[in-house]
mmCIF file of all heavy atoms in Angstrom:
data_model
loop_
_atom_site.group_PDB
_atom_site.id
_atom_site.type_symbol
_atom_site.label_atom_id
_atom_site.label_comp_id
_atom_site.label_asym_id
_atom_site.label_seq_id
_atom_site.Cartn_x
_atom_site.Cartn_y
_atom_site.Cartn_z
ATOM 1 N N TYR A 130 143.673 -156.651 -61.402
ATOM 2 C CA TYR A 130 144.058 -157.756 -60.570
ATOM 3 C C TYR A 130 143.001 -158.127 -59.582
ATOM 4 O O TYR A 130 142.665 -157.374 -58.736
ATOM 5 C CB TYR A 130 145.311 -157.428 -59.898
ATOM 6 C CG TYR A 130 146.481 -156.939 -60.746
ATOM 7 C CD1 TYR A 130 146.562 -155.573 -61.077
ATOM 8 C CD2 TYR A 130 147.299 -157.756 -61.376
ATOM 9 C CE1 TYR A 130 147.539 -154.971 -61.905
ATOM 10 C CE2 TYR A 130 148.400 -157.318 -62.189
ATOM 11 C CZ TYR A 130 148.360 -155.889 -62.451
ATOM 12 O OH TYR A 130 149.395 -155.432 -63.432
ATOM 13 N N LEU A 131 142.494 -159.312 -59.711
ATOM 14 C CA LEU A 131 141.378 -159.877 -58.847
ATOM 15 C C LEU A 131 141.597 -161.197 -58.312
ATOM 16 O O LEU A 131 141.773 -162.189 -59.234
ATOM 17 C CB LEU A 131 139.969 -159.717 -59.580
ATOM 18 C CG LEU A 131 138.766 -160.293 -58.840
ATOM 19 C CD1 LEU A 131 138.545 -159.324 -57.580
ATOM 20 C CD2 LEU A 131 137.540 -160.156 -59.751
ATOM 21 N N ASP A 132 141.706 -161.377 -57.132
ATOM 22 C CA ASP A 132 141.800 -162.752 -56.508
ATOM 23 C C ASP A 132 141.142 -162.812 -55.341
ATOM 24 O O ASP A 132 141.310 -162.245 -54.205
ATOM 25 C CB ASP A 132 143.317 -162.950 -56.153
ATOM 26 C CG ASP A 132 143.750 -164.322 -55.668
ATOM 27 O OD1 ASP A 132 142.676 -165.066 -55.396
ATOM 28 O OD2 ASP A 132 144.824 -164.607 -55.267
ATOM 29 N N VAL A 133 139.839 -163.585 -55.272
ATOM 30 C CA VAL A 133 139.028 -163.729 -54.094
ATOM 31 C C VAL A 133 139.154 -165.185 -53.610
ATOM 32 O O VAL A 133 138.506 -165.495 -52.718
ATOM 33 C CB VAL A 133 137.599 -163.477 -54.553
ATOM 34 C CG1 VAL A 133 137.436 -162.034 -55.079
ATOM 35 C CG2 VAL A 133 137.008 -164.407 -55.548
ATOM 36 N N THR A 134 140.061 -165.978 -54.280
ATOM 37 C CA THR A 134 140.125 -167.431 -53.692
ATOM 38 C C THR A 134 141.321 -167.564 -52.772
ATOM 39 O O THR A 134 142.401 -167.131 -53.024
ATOM 40 C CB THR A 134 140.488 -168.298 -55.051
ATOM 41 O OG1 THR A 134 139.412 -168.151 -55.910
ATOM 42 C CG2 THR A 134 140.463 -169.788 -54.536
ATOM 43 N N THR A 135 140.979 -168.188 -51.639
ATOM 44 C CA THR A 135 142.050 -168.315 -50.637
ATOM 45 C C THR A 135 143.016 -169.530 -51.037
ATOM 46 O O THR A 135 142.658 -170.302 -51.826
ATOM 47 C CB THR A 135 141.422 -168.758 -49.185
ATOM 48 O OG1 THR A 135 140.535 -169.917 -49.420
ATOM 49 C CG2 THR A 135 140.521 -167.501 -48.709
ATOM 50 N N PRO A 136 144.233 -169.488 -50.475
ATOM 51 C CA PRO A 136 145.092 -170.548 -50.744
ATOM 52 C C PRO A 136 144.609 -171.964 -50.288
ATOM 53 O O PRO A 136 143.918 -171.989 -49.394
ATOM 54 C CB PRO A 136 146.360 -170.234 -50.022
ATOM 55 C CG PRO A 136 146.237 -168.670 -49.833
ATOM 56 C CD PRO A 136 144.921 -168.520 -49.609
ATOM 57 N N GLN A 137 145.069 -172.952 -51.095
ATOM 58 C CA GLN A 137 144.828 -174.259 -50.853
ATOM 59 C C GLN A 137 145.871 -174.980 -49.955
ATOM 60 O O GLN A 137 147.052 -174.850 -50.263
ATOM 61 C CB GLN A 137 144.455 -175.047 -51.903
ATOM 62 C CG GLN A 137 143.393 -174.600 -52.896
ATOM 63 C CD GLN A 137 142.050 -174.487 -52.020
ATOM 64 O OE1 GLN A 137 141.580 -175.557 -51.672
ATOM 65 N NE2 GLN A 137 141.366 -173.521 -51.907
ATOM 66 N N ILE A 138 145.550 -175.674 -48.932
ATOM 67 C CA ILE A 138 146.619 -176.331 -48.138
ATOM 68 C C ILE A 138 146.225 -177.898 -48.102
ATOM 69 O O ILE A 138 145.038 -178.233 -47.879
ATOM 70 C CB ILE A 138 146.570 -175.898 -46.655
ATOM 71 C CG1 ILE A 138 146.992 -174.387 -46.662
ATOM 72 C CG2 ILE A 138 147.565 -176.788 -45.827
ATOM 73 C CD1 ILE A 138 147.045 -173.798 -45.249
ATOM 74 N N SER A 139 147.191 -178.793 -48.394
ATOM 75 C CA SER A 139 146.943 -180.172 -48.379
ATOM 76 C C SER A 139 148.126 -180.765 -47.630
ATOM 77 O O SER A 139 149.244 -180.238 -47.571
ATOM 78 C CB SER A 139 146.791 -180.717 -49.779
ATOM 79 O OG SER A 139 147.942 -180.554 -50.494
ATOM 80 N N GLY A 140 147.949 -181.991 -47.139
ATOM 81 C CA GLY A 140 149.034 -182.647 -46.403
ATOM 82 C C GLY A 140 148.904 -184.202 -46.376
ATOM 83 O O GLY A 140 147.831 -184.780 -46.876
ATOM 84 N N SER A 141 149.785 -184.846 -45.941
ATOM 85 C CA SER A 141 149.854 -186.310 -45.795
ATOM 86 C C SER A 141 150.616 -186.635 -44.436
ATOM 87 O O SER A 141 151.436 -185.892 -43.998
ATOM 88 C CB SER A 141 150.584 -186.903 -46.958
ATOM 89 O OG SER A 141 151.897 -186.476 -47.109
ATOM 90 N N VAL A 142 150.340 -187.820 -44.104
ATOM 91 C CA VAL A 142 150.925 -188.377 -42.741
ATOM 92 C C VAL A 142 151.640 -189.668 -43.043
ATOM 93 O O VAL A 142 151.019 -190.530 -43.688
ATOM 94 C CB VAL A 142 149.911 -188.513 -41.629
ATOM 95 C CG1 VAL A 142 150.570 -188.927 -40.330
ATOM 96 C CG2 VAL A 142 149.108 -187.250 -41.555
ATOM 97 N N ASN A 143 152.748 -189.818 -42.662
ATOM 98 C CA ASN A 143 153.485 -191.166 -42.801
ATOM 99 C C ASN A 143 153.801 -191.751 -41.474
ATOM 100 O O ASN A 143 154.616 -191.205 -40.728
ATOM 101 C CB ASN A 143 154.850 -190.956 -43.512
ATOM 102 C CG ASN A 143 155.601 -192.180 -43.773
ATOM 103 O OD1 ASN A 143 155.049 -193.342 -43.747
ATOM 104 N ND2 ASN A 143 156.884 -192.010 -44.112
ATOM 105 N N GLY A 144 153.086 -192.712 -41.051
ATOM 106 C CA GLY A 144 153.311 -193.402 -39.798
ATOM 107 C C GLY A 144 152.305 -194.518 -39.700
ATOM 108 O O GLY A 144 151.270 -194.659 -40.393
ATOM 109 N N SER A 145 152.531 -195.490 -38.679
ATOM 110 C CA SER A 145 151.647 -196.695 -38.524
ATOM 111 C C SER A 145 150.601 -196.292 -37.529
ATOM 112 O O SER A 145 150.874 -195.883 -36.444
ATOM 113 C CB SER A 145 152.577 -197.885 -37.892
ATOM 114 O OG SER A 145 153.494 -198.198 -38.843
ATOM 115 N N ILE A 146 149.283 -196.504 -38.046
ATOM 116 C CA ILE A 146 148.163 -196.180 -37.153
ATOM 117 C C ILE A 146 147.867 -197.287 -36.156
ATOM 118 O O ILE A 146 147.850 -198.390 -36.604
ATOM 119 C CB ILE A 146 147.017 -195.928 -38.143
ATOM 120 C CG1 ILE A 146 147.199 -194.807 -39.004
ATOM 121 C CG2 ILE A 146 145.673 -195.588 -37.282
ATOM 122 C CD1 ILE A 146 146.106 -194.521 -40.027
ATOM 123 N N GLY A 147 147.727 -197.010 -34.923
ATOM 124 C CA GLY A 147 147.305 -197.872 -33.989
ATOM 125 C C GLY A 147 145.803 -197.872 -33.742
ATOM 126 O O GLY A 147 144.988 -197.933 -34.603
ATOM 127 N N THR A 148 145.373 -197.742 -32.405
ATOM 128 C CA THR A 148 144.036 -197.685 -32.096
ATOM 129 C C THR A 148 143.606 -196.316 -31.429
ATOM 130 O O THR A 148 144.565 -195.733 -30.827
ATOM 131 C CB THR A 148 143.592 -198.922 -31.256
ATOM 132 O OG1 THR A 148 144.379 -198.860 -29.962
ATOM 133 C CG2 THR A 148 143.746 -200.132 -31.974
ATOM 134 N N THR A 149 142.369 -196.011 -31.330
ATOM 135 C CA THR A 149 141.896 -194.979 -30.622
ATOM 136 C C THR A 149 142.587 -193.594 -31.051
ATOM 137 O O THR A 149 142.963 -192.823 -30.164
ATOM 138 C CB THR A 149 141.857 -195.057 -29.090
ATOM 139 O OG1 THR A 149 143.243 -195.312 -28.666
ATOM 140 C CG2 THR A 149 141.101 -196.266 -28.745
ATOM 141 N N GLY A 150 142.917 -193.430 -32.203
ATOM 142 C CA GLY A 150 143.578 -192.117 -32.688
ATOM 143 C C GLY A 150 145.124 -192.200 -32.531
ATOM 144 O O GLY A 150 145.716 -191.015 -32.663
ATOM 145 N N TRP A 151 145.789 -193.095 -32.032
ATOM 146 C CA TRP A 151 147.199 -193.174 -31.726
ATOM 147 C C TRP A 151 148.025 -193.761 -32.913
ATOM 148 O O TRP A 151 147.569 -194.556 -33.615
ATOM 149 C CB TRP A 151 147.496 -193.910 -30.470
ATOM 150 C CG TRP A 151 147.101 -193.365 -29.215
ATOM 151 C CD1 TRP A 151 145.868 -193.214 -28.617
ATOM 152 C CD2 TRP A 151 147.952 -192.509 -28.295
ATOM 153 N NE1 TRP A 151 145.806 -192.451 -27.546
ATOM 154 C CE2 TRP A 151 147.139 -192.070 -27.182
ATOM 155 C CE3 TRP A 151 149.316 -192.263 -28.323
ATOM 156 C CZ2 TRP A 151 147.585 -191.367 -26.298
ATOM 157 C CZ3 TRP A 151 149.795 -191.427 -27.297
ATOM 158 C CH2 TRP A 151 148.952 -191.015 -26.203
ATOM 159 N N TYR A 152 149.233 -193.159 -33.004
ATOM 160 C CA TYR A 152 150.178 -193.773 -33.916
ATOM 161 C C TYR A 152 151.175 -194.465 -33.190
ATOM 162 O O TYR A 152 151.556 -194.139 -31.912
ATOM 163 C CB TYR A 152 150.916 -192.669 -34.819
ATOM 164 C CG TYR A 152 150.038 -192.017 -35.769
ATOM 165 C CD1 TYR A 152 149.368 -190.873 -35.545
ATOM 166 C CD2 TYR A 152 150.030 -192.466 -37.102
ATOM 167 C CE1 TYR A 152 148.620 -190.165 -36.439
ATOM 168 C CE2 TYR A 152 149.154 -191.866 -38.109
ATOM 169 C CZ TYR A 152 148.545 -190.694 -37.720
ATOM 170 O OH TYR A 152 147.704 -190.108 -38.701
ATOM 171 N N ILE A 153 151.582 -195.637 -33.700
ATOM 172 C CA ILE A 153 152.517 -196.611 -32.842
ATOM 173 C C ILE A 153 153.873 -196.592 -33.616
ATOM 174 O O ILE A 153 154.656 -197.478 -33.252
ATOM 175 C CB ILE A 153 151.860 -198.005 -32.773
ATOM 176 C CG1 ILE A 153 151.586 -198.516 -34.212
ATOM 177 C CG2 ILE A 153 150.669 -198.041 -31.874
ATOM 178 C CD1 ILE A 153 151.179 -200.024 -34.118
ATOM 179 N N SER A 154 154.239 -195.570 -34.438
ATOM 180 C CA SER A 154 155.651 -195.457 -34.904
ATOM 181 C C SER A 154 155.868 -193.958 -34.901
ATOM 182 O O SER A 154 154.886 -193.031 -34.831
ATOM 183 C CB SER A 154 155.635 -195.979 -36.402
ATOM 184 O OG SER A 154 154.922 -195.168 -37.295
ATOM 185 N N GLN A 155 157.023 -193.652 -35.146
ATOM 186 C CA GLN A 155 157.459 -192.191 -35.367
ATOM 187 C C GLN A 155 156.698 -191.682 -36.590
ATOM 188 O O GLN A 155 156.555 -192.421 -37.635
ATOM 189 C CB GLN A 155 158.992 -192.127 -35.617
ATOM 190 C CG GLN A 155 159.522 -190.768 -35.813
ATOM 191 C CD GLN A 155 161.102 -190.700 -35.849
ATOM 192 O OE1 GLN A 155 161.708 -190.817 -34.667
ATOM 193 N NE2 GLN A 155 161.515 -190.838 -37.050
ATOM 194 N N THR A 156 156.074 -190.613 -36.505
ATOM 195 C CA THR A 156 155.152 -190.101 -37.548
ATOM 196 C C THR A 156 155.719 -188.705 -38.159
ATOM 197 O O THR A 156 156.037 -187.875 -37.421
ATOM 198 C CB THR A 156 153.771 -189.896 -36.881
ATOM 199 O OG1 THR A 156 153.449 -191.227 -36.260
ATOM 200 C CG2 THR A 156 152.673 -189.435 -37.852
ATOM 201 N N THR A 157 155.612 -188.721 -39.396
ATOM 202 C CA THR A 157 156.089 -187.486 -40.164
ATOM 203 C C THR A 157 154.985 -186.873 -40.815
ATOM 204 O O THR A 157 154.112 -187.514 -41.605
ATOM 205 C CB THR A 157 157.130 -187.758 -41.210
ATOM 206 O OG1 THR A 157 158.308 -188.359 -40.581
ATOM 207 C CG2 THR A 157 157.540 -186.528 -42.036
ATOM 208 N N PHE A 158 154.685 -185.594 -40.657
ATOM 209 C CA PHE A 158 153.671 -184.728 -41.312
ATOM 210 C C PHE A 158 154.288 -183.917 -42.472
ATOM 211 O O PHE A 158 155.298 -183.183 -42.203
ATOM 212 C CB PHE A 158 153.032 -183.844 -40.312
ATOM 213 C CG PHE A 158 151.865 -184.557 -39.596
ATOM 214 C CD1 PHE A 158 152.032 -185.625 -38.772
ATOM 215 C CD2 PHE A 158 150.580 -183.924 -39.723
ATOM 216 C CE1 PHE A 158 150.887 -186.199 -38.173
ATOM 217 C CE2 PHE A 158 149.551 -184.522 -39.100
ATOM 218 C CZ PHE A 158 149.633 -185.633 -38.334
ATOM 219 N N THR A 159 153.704 -184.030 -43.636
ATOM 220 C CA THR A 159 154.109 -183.248 -44.804
ATOM 221 C C THR A 159 152.952 -182.561 -45.239
ATOM 222 O O THR A 159 151.891 -182.986 -45.504
ATOM 223 C CB THR A 159 154.740 -184.240 -45.869
ATOM 224 O OG1 THR A 159 155.800 -185.012 -45.355
ATOM 225 C CG2 THR A 159 155.207 -183.379 -47.062
ATOM 226 N N ALA A 160 153.116 -181.128 -45.655
ATOM 227 C CA ALA A 160 152.040 -180.383 -46.088
ATOM 228 C C ALA A 160 152.494 -179.520 -47.324
ATOM 229 O O ALA A 160 153.780 -179.297 -47.540
ATOM 230 C CB ALA A 160 151.446 -179.427 -45.064
ATOM 231 N N SER A 161 151.650 -179.043 -48.109
ATOM 232 C CA SER A 161 151.864 -178.177 -49.228
ATOM 233 C C SER A 161 150.855 -177.221 -49.346
ATOM 234 O O SER A 161 149.738 -177.510 -49.045
ATOM 235 C CB SER A 161 152.170 -178.850 -50.600
ATOM 236 O OG SER A 161 151.015 -179.648 -50.875
ATOM 237 N N THR A 162 151.089 -175.973 -50.125
ATOM 238 C CA THR A 162 150.033 -175.039 -50.418
ATOM 239 C C THR A 162 150.169 -174.477 -51.774
ATOM 240 O O THR A 162 151.313 -174.622 -52.337
ATOM 241 C CB THR A 162 150.265 -173.846 -49.408
ATOM 242 O OG1 THR A 162 149.129 -173.041 -49.615
ATOM 243 C CG2 THR A 162 151.541 -173.151 -49.560
ATOM 244 N N SER A 163 149.067 -174.042 -52.380
ATOM 245 C CA SER A 163 149.192 -173.632 -53.726
ATOM 246 C C SER A 163 148.040 -172.447 -53.836
ATOM 247 O O SER A 163 147.077 -172.355 -53.133
ATOM 248 C CB SER A 163 148.756 -174.672 -54.681
ATOM 249 O OG SER A 163 147.533 -175.254 -54.358
ATOM 250 N N ASP A 164 148.322 -171.562 -54.880
ATOM 251 C CA ASP A 164 147.478 -170.636 -55.131
ATOM 252 C C ASP A 164 147.647 -170.203 -56.703
ATOM 253 O O ASP A 164 148.729 -169.799 -56.984
ATOM 254 C CB ASP A 164 147.772 -169.240 -54.337
ATOM 255 C CG ASP A 164 146.653 -168.195 -54.514
ATOM 256 O OD1 ASP A 164 146.893 -167.408 -55.414
ATOM 257 O OD2 ASP A 164 145.687 -168.166 -53.724
ATOM 258 N N ALA A 165 146.553 -170.423 -57.488
ATOM 259 C CA ALA A 165 146.658 -170.320 -58.764
ATOM 260 C C ALA A 165 146.682 -168.930 -59.388
ATOM 261 O O ALA A 165 146.860 -168.788 -60.584
ATOM 262 C CB ALA A 165 145.589 -171.070 -59.584
ATOM 263 N N LEU A 166 146.358 -167.956 -58.541
ATOM 264 C CA LEU A 166 146.160 -166.573 -59.136
ATOM 265 C C LEU A 166 147.333 -165.605 -58.620
ATOM 266 O O LEU A 166 148.300 -165.441 -59.490
ATOM 267 C CB LEU A 166 144.875 -165.969 -58.647
ATOM 268 C CG LEU A 166 143.593 -166.757 -59.120
ATOM 269 C CD1 LEU A 166 142.403 -166.206 -58.535
ATOM 270 C CD2 LEU A 166 143.583 -166.711 -60.700
ATOM 271 N N SER A 167 147.305 -165.182 -57.512
ATOM 272 C CA SER A 167 148.267 -164.128 -56.945
ATOM 273 C C SER A 167 149.598 -164.853 -56.613
ATOM 274 O O SER A 167 150.666 -164.166 -56.539
ATOM 275 C CB SER A 167 147.892 -163.284 -55.988
ATOM 276 O OG SER A 167 147.327 -164.012 -54.932
ATOM 277 N N GLY A 168 149.453 -166.125 -56.330
ATOM 278 C CA GLY A 168 150.623 -166.884 -55.893
ATOM 279 C C GLY A 168 150.853 -166.785 -54.237
ATOM 280 O O GLY A 168 150.351 -165.899 -53.641
ATOM 281 N N ILE A 169 151.557 -167.802 -53.834
ATOM 282 C CA ILE A 169 151.841 -167.915 -52.300
ATOM 283 C C ILE A 169 152.797 -166.861 -51.803
ATOM 284 O O ILE A 169 153.894 -166.855 -52.404
ATOM 285 C CB ILE A 169 152.225 -169.333 -51.891
ATOM 286 C CG1 ILE A 169 151.070 -170.276 -52.165
ATOM 287 C CG2 ILE A 169 152.580 -169.361 -50.424
ATOM 288 C CD1 ILE A 169 149.754 -170.043 -51.414
ATOM 289 N N ALA A 170 152.416 -166.095 -50.806
ATOM 290 C CA ALA A 170 153.367 -165.188 -50.167
ATOM 291 C C ALA A 170 154.054 -165.830 -48.978
ATOM 292 O O ALA A 170 155.350 -165.782 -48.738
ATOM 293 C CB ALA A 170 152.618 -163.888 -49.723
#
């Protein structure tokens, strides 16, 4: 059993982007993780 690869994390943001890094609407963050070898603990 050999696993040297760290889990992968990806995400997305649902919200209206304003200026200077601000969002001008309520904003939802969604993320997911995956691991092709030993699996996510």
